[in-house]
Amino acid sequence: MGLRLRLILVLIIPLVLVVGVYGLVRIRHEQAQLLDEDRRNMAPTAKALQIAVENALRDRQISDIKRLLSEIVEYQEQIDRIRLFDRKLSPTLVSNPLSIGEEVPVEAVRRVIETGQPEGFYQRRGRQPVLFYLVPLRARKGEIQGAMEVVHLASGVEQKVQAATRDVWLRLGVLLLVVTVLTGLVLQRQVLRPLSRLMAGIRSLGLGQPGPPLPVERRDELGRVAEAFNQMAEQLEAARLKLLAETDRTLELEHQLRQAETLAVAGKLATGLAHEVGTPLNIISGRAEFLLQTLSPGDTRRPDLEVIVAQIDRISGIIRSLLDTVRPQKPEVQPTALAPLLDRLLPLLQHGAKRRGVALAAAVPADLPPMLADPNQLQQVLINLLMNALEATPAGGRVEVRAGRSIHEGRAGVAVSVRDTGPGIPPDLLPRVFDPFFTTKPPGQGTGLGLAICRDIVREHAGEIQVESRSDRGATFTVWLPEAEGHRS
Ligand SMILES: Nc1ncnc2c1ncn2[C@@H]1O[C@H](COP(=O)(O)OP(=O)(O)OP(=O)(O)O)[C@@H](O)[C@H]1O
Ligand SMILES: [Mg+2]
């Protein structure tokens, strides 16, 4: 059952009951009034009749009286039958037979004969109320000799009552109709329409296509619901956008990780090529130039040798530019906060850390000032340091990132350290770890470029990278970068 029908029923059923009871009371009252009026109208008529009959009883024959009574019944609309009773309560004269039968209201007749007071009352005969009006009949000396019953079939009253009933019910019907229609309209405007708007809003929100905010036209409960819904939709939209941005950032980060790997491989190839091809090329170039110097200016072999030297230079140029492309680019520095960067980075490395059974954690003070850094390059530095630390740490170990403000050569900055609980770096290898291609990994597994790239990036930032190592405590790499101007607290 719909809300509209239910509310209408809740309103209408009590209304119908109240209105119905009121209608019945009204009809009863109307009927009682009409009957009462009818009875009161009968009193003077009955009185006149009483005098006429008393006189007739004294002076005339019974047959005359009967004729008189019949005539009265015939001409008087208000009278439908007249009966006379003697003191023994038996009927002595009847004006005419009547459909309601001959039953004598014995008790009433007796009372009237005993008290001498007229009496009028109604009795229902079938559906029709019948007025019985009884008056005493006195003899010449005043003693009561019987009673006269005047009967009036109150069908006119009944008709009036029926008309009044129809009238009352008609009015009540119209009232009910108006109330129902009005209630329906008010419900539609005030409740159902805002509700259906709310429902449409919820549906489209569920489908991920939020529509315009709901109108908040009123200060009532529905208005507040619409307001709360709008707020919720706004929050959901903000959360959705944030999620999208997070996803974008994560994708970007993964892309960077992949790129870092590709770059490392490309770097390995390029530098390998530079080393493997560059060394013999240097020898060839040296020998060619030496030969060139030994030849006399007019020697016919000179142009060929000059071509050889020029082509060797060209190959060297190609190798140099190849190396340039894999070197880190100029940083685009900007105020960069460490905490959000780690928040994005750590979840990506967490998987690998778990697989190795190594705990990975970061502790960054909330008031740490932002650094002046290229966020992407800083990220790459942290990735390289963290990967090294994770690779060096055995299961059960711990890798930790810490950060704090630090002054370096009189400049304010931030020091970020990556500490592990691995075996550390032997003292004799310590000076070489930042060299390109220095690696202790088995051939084909490490490029030995990770730390070299870190050092290049940090240098481009006018920062500093240091390593500390103790065999019993593992290695700690610390990167210092300048604090962003205007963010000093
Ligand atoms: N946290 C560390 N603990 C112990 N040794 C380390 C640590 N970090 C670096 N090293 C040593 O420094 C060497 C150079 O590291 P670098 O990151 O430059 O290259 P790699 O890690 O060997 O190769 P790649 O980075 O390509 O995987 C490593 O091979 C390792 O011997
Ligand atoms: Mg490495």
Side-chain angles (χ1 to χ4, degrees), residues 264 384 388-389 391-392 420 423-425 433 435 438-441 445-452 475 477:
N384 287 350
N388 281 350
E391 281 160 5
D420 64 60
I425 302 161
V433 287
D435 290 351
F438 172 78
T439 177
T440 54
K441 290 178 184 167
Q445 284 199 15
T447 62
L449 282 173
L451 286 177
F477 284 83

Side-chain angles (χ1 to χ4, degrees), residues 261 264-265 268 384-393 399 418-426 429-430 432-442 445-454 467-469 474-477:
E261 277 166 18
V265 173
K268 190 183 173 190
N384 287 350
L385 294 181
L386 284 164
M387 297 279 273
N388 281 350
L390 287 172
E391 281 160 5
T393 310
V399 171
V418 176
R419 178 191 302 251
D420 64 60
T421 56
I425 302 161
L429 298 185
L430 212 52
R432 298 171 55 199
V433 287
F434 291 108
D435 290 351
F437 311 114
F438 172 78
T439 177
T440 54
K441 290 178 184 167
Q445 284 199 15
T447 62
L449 282 173
L451 286 177
I453 290 173
C454 288
V467 56
E468 263 177 72
S469 173
T476 303
F477 284 83

Side-chain angles (χ1 to χ4, degrees), residues 147-211:
M148 176 174 67
E149 175 209 63
V150 184
V151 167
H152 174 50
L153 302 178
S155 49
V157 173
E158 192 60 17
Q159 270 163 13
K160 280 187 197 164
V161 168
Q162 272 170 9
T165 309
R166 264 199 305 276
D167 188 53
V168 167
W169 287 131
L170 189 74
R171 282 173 201 216
L172 294 184
V174 170
L175 178 73
L176 270 183
L177 195 71
V178 168
V179 169
T180 309
V181 169
L182 274 182
T183 314
L185 281 179
V186 169
L187 267 179
Q188 175 68 24
R189 274 191 66 85
Q190 302 288 315
V191 181
L192 296 175
R193 203 185 296 165
L195 270 185
S196 73
R197 278 202 294 244
L198 185 69
M199 236 152 72
I202 290 172
R203 255 196 219 115
S204 56
L205 200 66
L207 292 173
Q209 301 155 343

Side-chain angles (χ1 to χ4, degrees), residues 257-285:
L257 273 172
R258 266 202 307 277
Q259 211 178 25
E261 277 166 18
T262 323
L263 263 179
V265 173
K268 190 183 173 190
L269 273 174
T271 42
L273 197 74
H275 188 258
E276 297 297 321
V277 178
T279 319
L281 214 57
N282 270 338
I283 300 168
I284 297 170
S285 162

Side-chain angles (χ1 to χ4, degrees), residues 250-378:
T250 312
L251 283 176
E252 167 72 9
L253 209 64
E254 275 171 0
H255 173 71
Q256 275 179 12
L257 273 172
R258 266 202 307 277
Q259 211 178 25
E261 277 166 18
T262 323
L263 263 179
V265 173
K268 190 183 173 190
L269 273 174
T271 42
L273 197 74
H275 188 258
E276 297 297 321
V277 178
T279 319
L281 214 57
N282 270 338
I283 300 168
I284 297 170
S285 162
R287 294 292 160 94
E289 271 170 22
F290 172 72
L291 272 178
L292 206 57
Q293 280 163 18
T294 58
L295 290 181
S296 61
D299 198 309
T300 51
R301 289 167 293 176
R302 228 185 143 79
D304 288 334
L305 258 181
E306 275 168 0
V307 169
I308 290 170
V309 170
Q311 291 306 312
I312 288 167
D313 278 352
R314 195 170 153 211
I315 295 173
S316 305
I318 292 171
I319 290 172
R320 254 197 316 278
S321 62
L322 202 62
L323 276 175
D324 280 348
T325 50
V326 295
R327 278 207 187 105
Q329 283 145 16
K330 275 259 164 255
E332 287 175 20
V333 293
Q334 53 186 275
T336 304
L338 182 66
L341 203 120
L342 284 174
D343 284 348
R344 294 200 301 271
L345 196 60
L346 291 190
L348 287 171
L349 296 167
Q350 207 65 262
H351 182 65
K354 263 199 201 123
R355 211 180 47 228
R356 291 166 192 275
V358 176
L360 176 61
V364 176
D367 61 347
L368 191 75
M371 293 173 275
L372 205 54
D374 180 323
N376 289 336
Q377 295 193 357
L378 176 58

Side-chain angles (χ1 to χ4, degrees), residues 1 9 19 24 75 142 149 212 214 216 227 258 324 348 391 397 428 434 459 471:
M1 201 195 294
L9 283 184
V19 160
L24 285 177
Y75 294 115
E149 175 209 63
L214 296 182
V216 185
E227 217 169 54
R258 266 202 307 277
D324 280 348
L348 287 171
E391 281 160 5
D428 54 321
F434 291 108
R459 272 193 194 151
S471 55

